[in-house]
Amino acid sequence: MPRYAMAIDLSLCVGCAACAVACKMENEVPPGVYNLWIREREVGTYPDLWVEFRPEQCLHCENPPCVPVCPTGASYQTEEGLVLVDPRKCIACGACIAACPYDARYLHPAGHVSKCTFCAHRIAQGRLPACVETCPTLCRTFGDLDDPESPVSKALKEAGRMDVLRPELGTRPKLFYLNAPSKKGLTREKEVRHD
Amino acid sequence: MTEFYGLPNAGEFWHWTNLLHFILVGLAGGMALLTGLLHLKGHREARRYTLWTLVLIALDLFVLWAESPARFRFTHVWLFLTFHPASPIWWGSWGLALSFVSAGLLYLGKGPGRPLALALLAFSLVALAYPGMALAVNLNRPLWNALMAGLFPLTALVLGLGVAALLKSPWALYPLRVLLGASLLLAFLYPLTLPLEARGHLWEESGVLYGLFLALGLGAFWKEGLAPWAALLAAAGLRALLVAVGQWQGLGL
């Protein structure tokens, strides 16, 4: 069984937001809410000044805090490690939104919670998530963490530096940030490397 | 400076209707516990309290249903068709539903009285405990720390006893003041248990209101006539305020 993960090389991300647009289109995300967004931050002071772009979305944690708090089982984790929401079971109580440390979940106007699915419907067809396929700088890689030949495993192996968000919470995210130009806001955690 | 293309879904996710639920569930749970105790003691006021319990639980369940964006999809049935003991809300749903059933049977005089009263007592404890647990499990939200698991049951009991005092039950005043005192002590110590950043946020967002609710609670020790109202307002205010302001995540992302 594959164990899907994504890596984003921040040294390649130019903040064009093509991934965010592709996600909106592919998943028909309603206005005002987002499966994916770009954090843009000025770092440093002139003349040592640069802009850091960081795409953010559901991190499909290995230990997702949003799943156990769900009272109906609408939030669940697949065998491939995807964290998904079954809208037919969701009562929109907001417990999973409260539990998510990354603000990745939102209330869909249709009356259920929603979020990034790593484009599970595309993966099932053997295709890449829309954001990965769209990225013009190829900063995103996706694949099976347990397959050493998968693009994501290779990217993690070759990266000079790897970070995950809020590792102190023990969620073990499967969205990795590679080669972050600044250390601000990211926490290095080599032990989460799955190689 | 941080800007976004698209926005993280970092806004408030529990609104005033949810805050109302956190107050009503405290009232309902507190009253259910008192009702169970009164039935066990064979108190003459037990039947009147049973009706209050039924009304408050029904009101809380109605608010929950009415505010739910899924109210016409009827997905709530899954609460009772699945087994999710790791979820405080799952426990709360069963606690409230079974409290309602056992209180209903007690009111109608159907079934064995003592076992039903014991059952009501047990289910009401679940209903009392789950809101605080539902907050405390969120390790990512620094304002909802482990103290919530103590403060919410205590304030729920204060709410129940406050209603009892308003119903002119003379036995309610002493435990009301004791439990309110314990609640206020916890609430007073609470900011000291927070990380510095979270304490600053609490102070900036609701420092004045928080202080006001604490002061209001102290009013319950001043005059007997004021005690029920002061206790009710302080307990309800603290519960709503902690839910509202605690949604802040303190994202150091």
Side-chain angles (χ1 to χ4, degrees):
Chain A
M1 192 61 71
R3 199 159 51 103
Y4 290 120
M6 191 180 285
I8 303 177
D9 189 331
L10 294 185
S11 67
L12 296 177
C13 180
V14 294
C16 68
C19 52
V21 175
C23 174
K24 276 264 184 192
M25 301 266 297
E26 177 69 28
N27 296 291
E28 297 178 359
V29 180
V33 286
Y34 299 87
N35 282 2
L36 191 171
W37 60 93
I38 317 289
R39 189 181 295 261
E40 177 183 328
R41 182 155 46 190
E42 288 176 12
V43 183
T45 49
Y46 181 84
D48 296 318
L49 180 69
W50 69 94
V51 176
E52 179 188 276
F53 299 106
R54 189 170 80 210
E56 293 177 3
Q57 60 199 78
C58 173
L59 285 77
H60 294 270
C61 308
E62 285 201 350
N63 183 22
C66 51
V67 169
V69 297
C70 177
T72 63
S75 280
Y76 66 101
Q77 196 171 24
T78 67
E79 289 182 343
E80 295 97 341
L82 302 181
V83 178
L84 302 177
V85 180
D86 181 350
R88 293 165 303 174
K89 284 189 175 177
C90 181
I91 59 168
C93 64
C96 59
I97 299 177
C100 176
Y102 310 106
D103 289 327
R105 289 171 171 251
Y106 58 87
L107 189 62
H108 193 284
H112 59 82
V113 168
S114 189
K115 65 173 202 61
C116 158
T117 63
F118 270 176
C119 285
H121 58 291
R122 290 172 64 103
I123 298 172
Q125 299 165 353
R127 298 161 70 197
L128 287 170
C131 55
V132 178
E133 200 169 82
T134 302
C135 180
T137 66
L138 307 179
C139 77
R140 287 173 179 264
T141 45
F142 181 81
D144 179 6
L145 268 185
D146 292 335
D147 175 7
E149 294 305 312
S150 73
V152 73
S153 294
K154 284 182 178 172
L156 289 174
K157 202 171 285 179
E158 289 161 10
R161 179 186 156 172
M162 182 184 66
D163 303 273
V164 293
L165 296 180
R166 304 187 80 180
E168 73 278 7
L169 293 172
T171 55
R172 296 178 60 80
K174 290 205 300 299
L175 176 68
F176 301 95
Y177 292 104
L178 309 180
N179 305 319
S182 83
K183 206 171 180 179
K184 188 173 182 183
L186 290 176
T187 312
R188 193 171 190 131
E189 199 196 40
K190 276 291 180 190
E191 62 270 23
V192 297
R193 195 160 198 155
H194 300 284
D195 56 7
Chain B
M1 187 177 72
T2 302
E3 290 182 353
F4 295 94
Y5 181 90
L7 281 173
N9 308 290
E12 202 176 82
F13 47 89
W14 282 338
H15 307 285
W16 71 268
T17 44
N18 303 84
L19 307 190
L20 180 62
H21 157 65
F22 273 89
I23 295 169
L24 283 174
V25 75
L27 275 168
M31 283 300 274
L33 185 107
L34 292 180
T35 303
L37 288 173
L38 291 176
H39 274 286
L40 283 176
K41 287 195 153 202
H43 201 283
R44 60 185 170 79
E45 287 183 303
R47 193 172 157 78
R48 181 167 66 131
Y49 274 73
T50 313
L51 187 60
W52 271 98
T53 297
L54 287 169
V55 169
L56 284 169
I57 294 176
L59 187 62
D60 180 43
L61 293 178
F62 174 75
V63 167
L64 272 179
W65 174 80
E67 68 84 27
S68 171
R71 59 188 167 276
F72 293 121
R73 296 195 297 119
F74 303 106
T75 47
H76 289 78
V77 69
W78 289 104
L79 286 167
F80 304 105
L81 296 178
T82 53
F83 182 68
H84 293 286
S87 165
I89 292 179
W90 180 83
W91 280 99
S93 309
W94 278 101
L96 281 172
L98 293 176
S99 292
F100 188 83
V101 170
S102 43
L105 290 172
L106 281 168
Y107 188 74
L108 295 171
K110 307 275 187 196
R114 190 171 170 79
L116 276 175
L118 281 170
L120 178 58
L121 201 64
F123 299 142
S124 70
L125 285 173
V126 175
L128 279 176
Y130 97 87
M133 292 302 296
L135 301 182
V137 292
N138 299 302
L139 301 178
N140 51 319
R141 306 204 182 254
L143 284 160
W144 291 341
N145 63 14
L147 216 64
M148 299 297 109
L151 195 56
F152 273 73
L154 270 177
T155 49
L157 286 170
V158 169
L159 288 172
L161 286 163
V163 174
L166 285 178
L167 293 173
K168 308 284 183 204
S169 295
W171 46 265
L173 194 62
Y174 178 71
L176 171 69
R177 282 178 161 168
V178 171
L179 291 169
L180 179 65
S183 304
L184 292 178
L185 182 66
L186 269 188
F188 182 76
L189 294 174
Y190 165 67
L192 305 176
T193 66
L194 297 173
L196 210 59
E197 190 190 5
R199 200 183 307 160
H201 181 78
L202 178 69
W203 176 249
E204 274 175 31
E205 291 294 312
S206 56
V208 174
L209 260 184
Y210 196 78
L212 188 71
F213 289 132
L214 286 180
L216 201 57
L218 290 175
F221 299 94
W222 182 36
K223 280 185 178 175
E224 276 193 14
L226 271 180
W229 289 110
L232 276 170
L233 288 173
L238 282 172
R239 287 172 78 94
L241 188 143
L242 286 171
V243 175
V245 78
Q247 295 178 61
W248 172 77
Q249 179 130 235
L251 284 179
L253 289 176

